[in-house]
Amino acid sequence: MTSIGTGYDLTNSVFSPDGRNFQVEYAVKAVENGGTSIGIRCKDGVVLAVEKVITSKLLKPGANKRIATIDRHMGVVSSGLVPDGRHFVSRARDEAASWRQVYKTPITTKDLASRMGGYLQAYTLYSSVRPFGITAIVAGWDSEVELPVDGEVGSGPSIGSGGKVEGKKFGGPALYMIEPSGLYWGYYGAATGKGRQSAKAELEKLDLASGNLSLQDGVKEAAKIIYIAHADNKDKEFELEMTWISNLDGPTKGRHEEVPKDILEEAERLAKKELEGDEDEEETKEEDKPADGDKMEE
Amino acid sequence: MNHLPQAWGRPRDDYYGAYDASYFQSNGPNQHTQQPIVTGTSVVALKFKDGVVIAADNLASYGSLARFTDVKRLRTFADTSVVGFGGDVSDMQYLDRLLNSLDTEEAYTSSGHTLNARNLHIYLSKVLYKRRSDFNPLWNQVLVAGLDEEKKPFLASADLLGTTFSAPSLATGFGAHLAQPLLRKVAPDEEAAATLSKEQALEAVKESMKVLFYRDARSMDKYSIAVVTKEGIDLKENEKLENQSWAFADQIRGYGTQVN
């Protein structure tokens, strides 16, 4: 690496002469080694999924969750250093709770992404800290209906709380990805971690921008993408963890919840089936070269 | 006139005299709540074989003034319980927000377990007891209606002193005097409550609300009523008292127009 030996990478918050902050770039490397995380913004909800790499056979299956709830309507998943992800979650929960304390209403996903983006960016500025070794994907459903103010007792003005632009649509699904530098963008589909390249390629095939994908299909696609992305990490076992947030009429009623076991298992079954189908095709191709075929089976 | 920022918004010294800084002292005795200000009156509730019926009117009084007439005093929690609040309305709002944050924190763990009515009642009673022990009480009496851990009907009360009580029928405030005897007639004990149908329980509670409106000067004829069963919560927040009969009013002697 060009940075080595130059001295510009030895402390945080220092620019190299060509305008790079190496400590932040190293943090990105930490992310690139973590299990793949993805998020899909569907028309009636958002899905989060993670390839949870099994580091020991002594870990209880299904325990040690990697996707966390920030507020009732919001979840986060991250790739990279797990403890950094935990701290991110803790801070995000504090931000969401303090927002409620001040405004008596749930924080929007956009505002949470902004707060957390600012928080991560601050960790690139001082020599006494290091940047976060995670890229986090934040998903939320911001209520599409007028919410009562927390603790409200009366019905309030009959025209509602006001302050809204006429004819504009408020609320809906939201998906943001926040990087170690503090950079955050809103996405239709987001992927990070080891298998992000193939995951992104799969996400691009879905034409998410047209807003036609339903949440139920999104869950199946998410499972498939994690299974495809796992090909980059094939020597390790993994568990698929998935959560979702639907609209108020949907299965979670605007809350962030785990995808129910039966739906998760069905999505996994379809993902495996599809993947096996692909492998069969490949194997028939490989049959011409029997020497390579043996390698594939290992 | 002084233009410095520290003088902004202050009465002019040359006109009103110098500000008496002794009003500004932060040390010295500190006075906590001595009385409720905006209040809700009775909450009544009755268990039946599949659940609990709970009701409270929609009035918040400012002393004897009927100040707010659309105040919802029944609050649902986690789709499993209803809390009915009597007493101070601002303290009710505080408790409502507290329960809201409790619900959010419960969602952090993905165990799928939600707090039942008994958990909620214990939590509220401990909050109320802590506050009275700090000599800073939350001026409420609450009824918690819902289902317990075995999905059996649960009903209990907690008050501003942290006192807890449980019975097949409960009523707070004026209702403790006027509605409670009527409800006890319908359900004298747990066994009797376990034979009541939903319709019988609804009728008894509605009758109690009517009697309370007749005799409680801090009550109103618009009320909220909720039925909690295994199927969920059926909450109606804009009910009107029906079949009122004021014929008895003629017979009242001793105050008003008929002094003797």
Side-chain angles (χ1 to χ4, degrees):
Chain A
M1 276 194 272
T2 51
S3 52
I4 292 170
T6 58
Y8 294 110
D9 65 344
L10 294 179
T11 183
N12 199 8
S13 101
V14 166
F15 275 122
S16 79
D18 45 355
R20 294 162 65 182
N21 186 337
F22 288 116
Q23 283 296 316
V24 172
E25 290 184 22
Y26 296 163
V28 172
K29 292 275 177 233
V31 174
E32 288 170 3
N33 289 325
T36 314
S37 310
I38 62 160
I40 304 178
R41 184 179 179 274
C42 308
K43 68 174 174 198
D44 50 351
V46 199
V47 199
L48 288 176
V50 62
E51 169 208 15
K52 192 166 80 184
V53 179
I54 308 296
T55 50
S56 163
K57 284 208 161 75
L58 298 173
L59 290 168
K60 184 183 170 195
N64 304 311
K65 296 289 180 211
R66 286 279 307 280
I67 310 181
T69 302
I70 300 304
D71 202 331
R72 278 172 282 182
H73 63 300
M74 201 180 293
V76 65
V77 63
S78 59
S79 291
L81 306 180
V82 176
D84 287 25
R86 294 252 169 82
H87 179 67
F88 181 97
V89 166
S90 152
R91 176 70 189 198
R93 283 173 178 169
D94 287 352
E95 290 287 355
S98 87
W99 180 281
R100 274 187 188 265
Q101 198 78 261
V102 173
Y103 300 107
K104 313 295 181 209
T105 189
I107 192 168
T108 62
T109 315
K110 187 181 182 176
D111 284 308
L112 187 102
S114 163
R115 295 271 182 108
M116 293 312 293
Y119 188 66
L120 261 61
Q121 195 269 341
Y123 278 74
T124 68
L125 293 175
Y126 306 97
S127 59
S128 54
V129 293
R130 63 168 175 78
F132 276 69
I134 56 158
T135 287
I137 300 174
V138 180
W141 181 276
D142 303 325
S143 177
E144 65 273 41
V145 299
E146 182 108 3
L147 284 178
V149 174
D150 284 357
E152 141 185 325
V153 291
S155 31
S158 57
I159 52 162
S161 57
K164 292 197 169 169
V165 182
E166 196 119 350
K168 199 181 159 195
K169 201 176 152 275
F170 287 90
L175 185 70
Y176 288 84
M177 185 159 76
I178 310 170
E179 292 172 28
S181 60
L183 174 95
Y184 70 95
W185 296 119
Y187 290 87
Y188 288 116
T192 182
K194 200 164 204 167
R196 68 198 173 286
Q197 297 294 5
S198 43
K200 275 183 205 167
E202 291 300 316
L203 285 167
E204 281 166 17
K205 288 182 198 163
L206 294 176
D207 185 28
L208 295 165
S210 64
N212 289 324
L213 188 71
S214 73
L215 184 61
Q216 300 284 353
D217 291 339
V219 165
K220 287 171 192 154
E221 294 296 344
K224 197 179 91 188
I225 292 169
I226 289 294
Y227 269 84
I228 291 170
H230 178 67
D232 299 347
N233 203 5
K234 227 171 180 177
D235 49 327
K236 292 193 181 106
E237 296 268 300
F238 84 105
E239 262 175 33
L240 172 65
E241 191 180 323
M242 272 206 289
T243 63
W244 60 358
I245 313 154
S246 77
N247 61 15
L248 294 178
D249 307 322
T252 81
K253 300 186 177 70
R255 293 174 75 105
H256 176 247
E257 287 172 3
E258 276 174 36
V259 174
K261 209 172 163 220
D262 51 335
I263 299 178
L264 181 88
E265 279 171 358
E266 172 66 5
E268 272 194 289
R269 191 185 64 78
L270 290 172
K272 281 180 194 159
K273 202 174 133 194
E274 192 133 339
L275 225 61
E276 276 166 19
D278 285 356
E279 268 172 25
D280 287 346
E281 276 170 37
E282 276 172 34
E283 269 173 35
T284 47
K285 276 180 206 162
E286 299 292 338
E287 267 171 27
D288 302 336
K289 293 177 258 171
D292 283 1
D294 288 346
K295 256 188 189 171
M296 288 290 290
E297 272 169 35
E298 268 174 38
Chain B
M1 199 174 70
N2 191 345
H3 66 278
L4 295 170
Q6 50 267 48
W8 292 357
R10 287 275 177 80
R12 287 167 57 177
D13 285 359
D14 56 350
Y15 199 86
Y16 293 99
Y19 183 74
D20 180 358
S22 68
Y23 290 119
F24 235 20
Q25 277 180 13
S26 55
N27 53 357
N30 185 10
Q31 197 173 23
H32 285 148
T33 312
Q34 304 285 308
Q35 65 197 344
I37 306 298
V38 177
T39 57
T41 182
S42 327
V43 184
V44 298
L46 172 63
K47 282 205 241 184
F48 64 98
K49 70 174 181 329
D50 308 313
V52 192
V53 179
I54 182 167
D57 70 21
N58 290 355
L59 180 67
S61 310
Y62 181 62
S64 58
L65 174 70
R67 180 65 183 83
F68 304 104
T69 55
D70 62 347
V71 170
K72 316 295 188 323
R73 295 194 290 127
L74 299 184
R75 297 299 164 124
T76 59
F77 183 85
D79 297 328
T80 57
S81 316
V82 176
V83 186
F85 291 86
D88 194 89
V89 170
S90 58
D91 287 348
M92 168 180 98
Q93 288 181 288
Y94 168 79
L95 283 170
D96 188 33
R97 291 196 183 113
L98 194 70
L99 292 181
N100 226 330
S101 65
L102 183 71
D103 183 46
T104 305
E105 283 162 27
E106 278 299 304
Y108 291 166
T109 55
S110 51
S111 58
H113 174 261
T114 49
L115 294 180
N116 60 42
R118 188 194 303 284
N119 302 144
L120 201 60
H121 175 250
I122 291 172
Y123 180 82
L124 280 170
S125 68
K126 298 212 161 175
V127 170
L128 290 162
Y129 177 67
K130 163 73 166 69
R131 289 293 295 263
R132 85 102 214 204
S133 301
D134 293 343
F135 290 96
N136 190 18
L138 291 164
W139 218 283
N140 296 108
Q141 189 174 1
V142 303
L143 297 187
V144 182
L147 303 171
D148 65 10
E149 61 282 355
E150 291 169 348
K151 302 267 177 211
K152 284 193 184 132
F154 176 88
L155 175 62
S157 83
D159 69 7
L160 68 165
L161 303 174
T163 316
T164 59
F165 192 73
S166 188
S169 65
L170 284 171
T172 74
F174 215 103
H177 304 95
L178 275 177
Q180 189 66 268
L182 300 171
L183 296 173
R184 281 199 187 136
K185 230 188 264 176
V186 182
D189 50 29
E190 290 286 351
E191 288 72 37
T195 62
L196 282 180
S197 72
K198 178 175 144 187
E199 287 67 32
Q200 285 172 307
L202 272 172
E203 195 197 310
V205 168
K206 284 180 180 173
E207 188 62 26
S208 299
M209 291 306 288
K210 196 154 69 182
V211 170
L212 281 168
F213 179 54
Y214 287 153
R215 324 235 59 143
D216 179 0
R218 306 285 169 270
S219 71
M220 202 179 54
D221 52 353
K222 245 168 59 193
Y223 66 102
S224 307
I225 190 163
V227 183
V228 197
T229 58
K230 270 182 211 160
E231 280 70 53
I233 299 169
D234 178 23
L235 172 64
K236 298 194 192 91
E237 287 187 318
N238 211 353
E239 297 292 281
K240 183 107 179 133
L241 284 179
E242 282 162 3
N243 304 321
Q244 291 175 40
S245 164
W246 287 88
F248 71 92
D250 279 353
Q251 318 300 319
I252 294 174
R253 290 286 179 273
Y255 60 87
T257 49
Q258 293 89 17
V259 181
N260 293 304

